[in-house]
Amino acid sequence: MNESFIGKKSSAAGGWGALKSCGKQLLQSGNPLSGARAMLKANQPNGFDCPGCAWGDPAHGSSFEFCENGVKAVSWEATEKRATPAFFEKHTVSELSKLSDYELELNGRVTHPMRYDAQSDKYLPVAWEDAFAEIGDILKSLDSPDQAEFYTSGRASNEAAYLYQLFVRLYGTNNFPDCSNMCHEASGVGLRQAIGVGKGTVLLEDFEQADAIFVLGQNPGTNHPRMLGDLRRASIRGANIVVFNPVRERGLEKFSDPQAKLEMLHGGSTDIASHYFQPLLGGDMAAVRGMSKAVFAAEDAAIASNSPSVLDHDFLSEHCADFADYRAIVDATSWDEIEDQSGLSRHDIEQAAQVYMSADRVICTWAMGVTQHLHSVATIREISNFMFLRGNIGKPGAGLCPVRGHSNVQGDRTVGINEKPPEAFLDALEKEFGFTVPRKHGHNVLGAIGAMLDGSAKTFIGLGGNFARATPDSALVAKAFKNLKLTVNIATKPNHSHLMPGEVSFILPCLGRTEIDLNSQGQSQVVSVEDSMSMVHGSAGINRPASPHLLSEVGIIAGIAEATAGTQTVSWAALADDYERIRNHIEATVPGFDDYNTRLRTPRGFHLRNTASHREWNTPTGKANFFAGALPTQTVHQKARAAQTSFALQTFRSHDQYNTTVYGLDDRYRGVYGERNVIFIHPDDLAVLGAKSGDRVNVVGEYHDGIERIAADFRFVSYDIPRGSVAGYYPELNVLVPLGSAGDQSDTPTSKSVMVSFHTGTAA
Ligand SMILES: Nc1nc2c(c(=O)[nH]1)N[C@H]1C(S)=C(S)[C@@H](COP(=O)(O)OP(=O)(O)OC[C@H]3O[C@@H](n4cnc5c(=O)[nH]c(N)nc54)[C@H](O)[C@@H]3O)O[C@H]1N2
Ligand SMILES: Nc1nc2c(c(=O)[nH]1)N[C@H]1C(S)=C(S)[C@@H](COP(=O)(O)OP(=O)(O)OC[C@H]3O[C@@H](n4cnc5c(=O)[nH]c(N)nc54)[C@H](O)[C@@H]3O)O[C@H]1N2
Ligand SMILES: [Mo]
């Protein structure tokens, strides 16, 4: 058996390994100077916003915020490699389709607008004006605007996203499938119900004051590396960091900060987690309920012994609704149920609750390990319940913190990318622009796929992203995609969604965030973005554009809009020529953006006021709402266990990828090298299967809708993960994620709870 792809795990996240990896990445980009120069300007005033993640920027930063994966994101965009017309001339689309995601994007930046030619099966260059005109003609020819789908990936700036939604609504639909539908949708839905605003309530400064930080279902060492710096400082200060993650993730255990010179010189590192609990997949709601149960037990004991109260009674009586119902349901939930569903012992849960009770100020952060399950909204409500008990919201050093993914996914939502837009926003648009805005709710991601599959959707436009690879059931989606009349991908690099052409298909190449965006007067344009902490700030590129033929995203949207909707209602070219004009419209139609252009000029931007962090509850009850729901009857884990031969699979990210963009084939922190088709599994489960690390296996989907789903030729990696839970990488495993399984109320694909079995004998 060849196990050569399994190697040493990093002893700590960060450290020299991270610096080495940065050097390698900058060299690979072929343009180390521009990459390095670009890095120095990332997340700094007068620089660009790092396209890596949505973590906040410090108010008093050092020369630059070091981040290995930020370097990868930046140098990936600043590469010297070019996918020119000559490249597309050399390869048919069928040939390119055989490449992996990694090999495909390695070809570099697309330099010219391209149109698919079915006869030669190749993309050929096309003039911008011709592309816009043909797209406009097709959109105008549809029987209804609701036959068109308009996708957004969360890298788009506020200005691009706002112009896009304006165009689409003027065209006549609310079909806005958005990457957040696959991401933090459950956080938006759950928090809106609980606290009246679908965003987190903390600022970066709060991390300096928290006594305890609970990190649930998140792998910041890879996905939000700058957060590790904040966790490290908190840990050094003596704050407790309590992790809930089925997998032991390196970055949550130890971190060696490349900006801390002594630590680097001595090869030292800082412990991150003070407590590390490994729940079963989907077991978080039960774990959090268990902590609440322990808090109530402590409260009862305090009353009996006349000791000070554990609960924050002032907060509960002044600010909360339905507290008694919550207490009743917690009392009615047995420890047996909690232990069985969470996979954690009562003792462990009580220990975590003790940390919570001994802290005056607690922050709870979470990401995809919480949001991509069937019962994610209920879990987020339960997290809110738990935090209300001791008033851990709306005070310094405390609060709820969903850590967003794409660098502007939160901003895109704020400025109107929403298939279910608030009525007040639509009213404001009508007033500002004087046209009748469509009111019917549109399609989210799963709605759009449904419409593609049943033939009612005819066209797809993607503002960034890689829709056909990021979505579940990739094989089915690919088929549906090819049946469309028109597909348009606004993109920086080639990806697989470009290789599933419909009748007419375009790749429209745009400027990246790191590149200078000049208007007709030769002035450099600034865009703006909003991070996870609701800070809005400016971003201006510093690199020369990858090709003179690129347009900005705003410019491309304006071109399509003008060709489709004309210039009677909106003067698209004028808006595209001066983004301040777009911001003036945002200011007039979206609350919180007063003096937008002026405030954007302040060095680190401005904060969008969050009502809940001021203890104002924008909910129907006017209070912070407790939620008294039962635990799920069965999590994926319990289902898999009942089926005996099945496992609960989660699909997560390696250290060398950005979603569907694969930078390299290593996952240093998990000790896997040169191989992505792997399944992490507990050694005892391997033994039961009669298999070893390195063995090949076919992974078979166990979703009972009659569709056969197989991910062939994967390899086992023995790992520290609970028995019955397994893990592997997205997007390779998306063939197994069933379209039919979506989160309650969030409609998010359940990418972290997929039931599978293994066929060892049959693998290639
Ligand atoms: N370098 C890099 N940065 C990124 C991205 C990237 O791909 N690469 N992607 C960006 C985007 S769009 C997003 S949304 C974020 C994603 O950031 P993360 O949410 O950190 O991403 P995942 O890799 O999906 O990791 C999920 C984590 O949750 C754990 N987990 C899975 N299921 C459960 C569960 O049931 N309970 C608990 N407690 N834990 C669970 C997994 O073991 C894993 O550690 O990162 C953003 N930043
Ligand atoms: N199984 C499984 N599926 C998942 C997930 C999971 O954890 N498991 N995670 C989900 C999550 S959280 C998310 S957010 C989605 C992500 O879904 P998407 O946002 O659709 O996918 P990305 O891989 O981020 O998109 C990458 C492409 O964006 C383009 N691009 C890069 N930079 C720019 C730019 O500046 N402008 C433009 N116009 N294009 C650009 C490039 O061409 C690149 O190929 O995937 C989801 N799918
Ligand atoms: Mo995401």
Side-chain angles (χ1 to χ4, degrees), residues 289 292-293 296 325-334 382:
R289 179 148 301 180
S292 291
K293 204 171 168 68
F296 287 135
D325 296 344
Y326 180 58
R327 167 89 210 223
I329 190 106
V330 173
D331 287 347
T333 313
S334 70
E382 188 70 13

Side-chain angles (χ1 to χ4, degrees), residues 219 223 244-245 249 282 284 368 373 653 657 659 752:
N219 182 22
N223 298 313
F244 287 83
N245 197 313
E249 301 283 24
D284 300 84
M368 298 304 102
H373 290 288
R653 293 153 171 80
Q657 76 181 83
N659 298 338
K752 300 287 192 273

Side-chain angles (χ1 to χ4, degrees), residues 215-402:
V215 181
L216 277 74
Q218 194 198 345
N219 182 22
T222 286
N223 298 313
H224 306 93
R226 287 181 296 125
M227 178 176 172
L228 283 193
D230 295 287
L231 292 180
R232 175 179 173 274
R233 283 185 286 276
S235 159
I236 290 173
R237 260 193 312 110
N240 278 306
I241 295 172
V242 184
V243 170
F244 287 83
N245 197 313
V247 178
R248 284 206 81 95
E249 301 283 24
R250 223 1 153 206
L252 288 165
E253 295 180 313
K254 282 182 179 306
F255 176 51
S256 175
D257 189 345
Q259 291 196 20
K261 294 186 189 71
L262 274 179
E263 196 161 84
M264 291 291 283
L265 276 174
H266 297 295
S269 60
T270 305
D271 286 342
I272 297 296
S274 55
H275 301 76
Y276 204 120
F277 301 106
Q278 292 178 272
L280 298 171
L281 284 182
D284 300 84
M285 182 174 176
V288 176
R289 179 148 301 180
M291 289 194 285
S292 291
K293 204 171 168 68
V295 172
F296 287 135
E299 173 70 6
D300 293 347
I303 292 170
S305 64
N306 257 330
S307 308
S309 194
V310 174
L311 300 176
D312 184 340
H313 287 288
D314 291 344
F315 181 78
L316 292 172
S317 56
E318 190 185 335
H319 290 287
C320 296
D322 300 331
F323 170 62
D325 296 344
Y326 180 58
R327 167 89 210 223
I329 190 106
V330 173
D331 287 347
T333 313
S334 70
W335 275 111
D336 281 352
E337 249 180 285
I338 289 169
E339 288 189 316
D340 188 59
Q341 192 158 101
S342 68
L344 299 176
S345 68
R346 176 174 175 175
H347 174 265
D348 279 352
I349 294 174
E350 284 173 343
Q351 205 190 337
Q354 200 52 51
V355 175
Y356 177 75
M357 288 184 281
S358 58
D360 285 335
R361 290 168 287 211
V362 180
I363 290 175
C364 183
T365 80
W366 67 90
M368 298 304 102
V370 167
T371 63
Q372 294 177 335
H373 290 288
L374 269 178
H375 54 284
S376 296
V377 171
T379 304
I380 286 152
R381 296 293 309 268
E382 188 70 13
I383 293 172
S384 310
N385 290 338
F386 174 61
M387 294 289 276
F388 295 158
L389 295 180
R390 287 175 49 84
N392 274 308
I393 182 166
K395 68 181 182 191
L400 296 159
C401 180

